[in-house]
Amino acid sequence: MIKRFICAIKGVSKVALLALIAIGLTACTTNETAPTHNYGVVTSGDFDFMRHGVVTYSWHPESEQVYLSEKYDKTVVTDLVREAIKERLSLKGYQLKSGAGDVVVGFGLAEESELNDESIFDAIQLSTGVPFYSDDGKVSEKGSLYIAFFVPNSEVIQWQALAQSGIQPDLEPSESKQRVMGFVEMLFRRVPER
């Protein structure tokens, strides 16, 4: 009698264990959905060179390289990015200098149809490798923002970043400004404060 009871308990335990495993596996199975990305960022270098004695910055003479189609006002977009960089560096305690600053900052902008990822990689050796999709699942055109920091009188890049995102051409000017400010803030989060 006791043997039958023990065998019955073992049988129930095995069934219960199998049921729990099946439930657990069922809960783990989900439909795979393609990951969506709002942006891709890759950086190289660091800001250690800015920790001591760097309080001013100036623009690189070849800064503001812009590869945009006729759909965009290059001056407006360039001004937007330049102002975002100035504002973020100012908040960190750095001052723009008209002559040579303690650090030299350069930036560039590109629309994928005007400058593709391969060309960008050939020029700066950075690639996010991230595709972007519209709300309806179609591949979206990328916009790229490149920022680089140099020490004066040197072409050696101390820090550089490439940020890419799907272009959203129908944004209001205030939304575009907020978007650019968000990217620059994210990229500069490790810039030392003065």
Side-chain angles (χ1 to χ4, degrees):
M1 168 109 164
I2 294 178
K3 279 186 175 180
R4 274 193 265 158
F5 182 69
I6 291 172
C7 288
I9 290 176
K10 284 183 182 178
V12 170
S13 295
K14 287 179 184 176
V15 170
L17 181 61
L18 288 173
L20 286 174
I21 291 172
I23 290 169
L25 290 175
T26 303
C28 291
T29 57
T30 59
N31 291 338
E32 286 290 320
T33 56
T36 57
H37 305 280
N38 292 332
Y39 61 88
V41 173
V42 63
T43 63
S44 173
D46 58 44
F47 294 110
D48 285 347
F49 75 101
M50 294 178 67
R51 298 212 180 273
H52 305 290
V54 174
V55 294
T56 63
Y57 71 96
S58 57
W59 295 115
H60 192 281
E62 295 176 20
S63 184
E64 303 179 17
Q65 298 293 317
V66 180
Y67 301 90
L68 298 175
S69 67
E70 298 298 320
K71 296 184 289 190
Y72 301 98
D73 184 331
K74 294 177 183 180
T75 303
V76 169
V77 177
T78 303
D79 289 349
L80 187 65
V81 173
R82 188 183 328 99
E83 289 305 312
I85 292 171
K86 283 171 55 176
E87 184 175 319
R88 183 51 41 193
L89 287 176
S90 176
L91 288 170
K92 291 277 190 170
Y94 297 91
Q95 298 145 10
L96 179 60
K97 190 173 179 185
S98 58
D102 299 324
V103 66
V104 180
V105 179
F107 72 91
L109 301 162
E111 181 180 1
E112 188 175 18
S113 59
E114 300 295 315
L115 190 66
N116 63 28
D117 282 353
E118 292 80 22
S119 298
I120 292 171
F121 183 80
D122 289 345
I124 63 173
Q125 301 299 296
L126 294 178
S127 173
T128 65
V130 180
F132 299 97
Y133 300 92
S134 63
D135 291 338
D136 59 359
K138 294 181 181 173
V139 174
S140 178
E141 183 169 32
K142 290 182 194 181
S144 300
L145 168 62
Y146 173 71
I147 302 175
F149 282 42
F150 305 83
V151 293
N153 304 315
S154 173
E155 289 301 311
V156 176
I157 299 169
Q158 300 296 314
W159 176 88
Q160 63 181 337
L162 174 66
Q164 293 182 313
S165 182
I167 293 177
Q168 297 177 346
D170 299 329
L171 294 179
E172 294 293 323
S174 62
E175 293 173 313
S176 293
K177 180 178 181 179
Q178 180 139 3
R179 193 163 189 238
V180 170
M181 291 296 288
F183 280 121
V184 172
E185 180 180 355
M186 176 186 52
L187 294 174
F188 287 5
R189 70 179 181 261
R190 291 203 167 108
V191 171
E193 291 191 17
R194 295 286 123 226

